[in-house]
Amino acid sequence: GENVEQHPSTLSVQEGDSAVIKCTYSDSASNYFPWYKQELGKRPQLIIDIRSNVGEKKDQRIAVTLNKTAKHFSLHITETQPEDSAVYFCAASPWAGKSTFGDGTTLTVKP
Amino acid sequence: NAGVTQTPKFQVLKTGQSMTLQCAQDMNHNSMYWYRQDPGMGLRLIYYSASEGTTDKGEVPNGYNVSRLNKREFSLRLESAAPSQTSVYFCASSEALGNQPQHFGDGTRLSIL
């Protein structure tokens, strides 16, 4: 089955700096890669996703890049703000197959 | 649109008691999921239902049963609760299995004494 590894497990940055979280996956059949943000005590919510026919996708301060050859994808957050502090989960899924989640990254943005 | 609704939000049980967690979605999604999240940990899949009438085991199914009552509802049952099942339980749904984002409910915080 699919195995998703997420790094780092914790990340602390100064407000205004950039943050990068990386995930690697094992199943070459995976073709959908979402990122979820979970604030403390809240439910996970989708913030951005990418499909295997695209190499990069941006939405304001967040972007995701995908390297299918190396089987890794990354979340980039620029100009971080205190409200970006949360746990971020990556996931990978094949067509018509269930998603496999990474273990999460706790991002702390210091004012 | 309420999205994914879970009931109850909080529950305290004694060891050995049984309980059913309810989940309903109003997005006409085909696939539904149950996860547990222990403190400071990731999401572990308990059971999922790819479509109405089907259910499959996930990563940690022992001690749980599920019922896909209809397209909207997917319940999770603990037959004989154990302290190790103390966790936050999230229900989620998606248009289809794989290749689609999942929409999560607000969670049920379950404590077993």
Side-chain angles (χ1 to χ4, degrees):
Chain A
E2 175 66 278
N3 182 47
V4 176
E5 293 190 359
Q6 184 171 344
H7 298 282
S9 56
T10 61
L11 179 59
S12 181
V13 299
Q14 210 64 38
E15 183 177 359
D17 287 350
S18 294
V20 181
I21 303 169
K22 182 177 176 179
C23 288
T24 59
Y25 62 99
S26 60
D27 188 351
S28 57
S30 287
N31 61 4
Y32 176 65
F33 307 94
W35 286 91
Y36 296 86
K37 176 183 181 183
Q38 185 180 28
E39 296 177 358
L40 190 63
K42 304 287 188 180
R43 59 190 169 97
Q45 289 188 281
L46 179 77
I47 54 170
I48 195 167
D49 56 8
I50 192 167
R51 300 181 190 276
S52 60
N53 58 345
V54 175
E56 183 176 3
K57 184 176 179 181
K58 287 184 180 180
D59 183 3
Q60 298 183 345
R61 295 186 298 107
I62 60 173
V64 57
T65 58
L66 172 64
N67 184 326
K68 286 177 57 180
T69 304
K71 295 201 189 89
H72 66 72
F73 56 109
S74 299
L75 177 71
H76 304 255
I77 306 174
T78 59
E79 300 172 23
T80 53
Q81 300 167 4
E83 51 265 38
D84 294 329
S85 296
V87 179
Y88 292 81
F89 293 98
C90 65
S93 71
W95 181 267
K98 62 180 176 62
S99 293
T100 300
F101 282 81
D103 287 338
T105 296
T106 300
L107 173 65
T108 303
V109 180
K110 299 177 183 176
Chain B
N1 266 0
V4 178
T5 302
Q6 291 184 236
T7 55
K9 295 190 185 313
F10 302 93
Q11 186 70 46
V12 179
L13 292 178
K14 294 181 180 178
T15 297
Q17 287 185 316
S18 62
M19 159 135 211
T20 299
L21 307 186
Q22 307 286 354
C23 175
Q25 50 91 9
D26 62 2
M27 296 172 282
N28 201 35
H29 285 171
N30 288 299
S31 301
M32 298 185 73
Y33 315 83
W34 276 105
Y35 295 91
R36 62 176 286 175
Q37 186 176 37
D38 299 330
M41 303 291 284
L43 299 160
R44 290 190 290 171
L45 183 64
I46 305 171
Y47 272 93
Y48 65 101
S49 171
S51 60
E52 185 179 356
T54 69
T55 60
D56 283 288
K57 295 179 180 178
E59 192 184 347
V60 287
N62 290 346
Y64 305 94
N65 284 302
V66 290
S67 295
R68 184 75 183 266
L69 304 169
N70 47 55
K71 191 171 185 179
R72 290 186 64 247
E73 299 172 286
F74 188 39
S75 63
L76 177 72
R77 183 160 178 84
L78 287 70
E79 290 291 352
S80 179
S84 61
Q85 294 177 305
T86 293
S87 191
V88 179
Y89 290 85
F90 286 102
C91 177
S93 70
S94 61
E95 282 188 37
L97 187 68
N99 220 38
Q100 297 292 334
Q102 293 186 21
H103 300 257
F104 287 82
D106 287 333
T108 294
R109 283 148 185 81
L110 185 60
S111 293
I112 299 159
L113 308 177

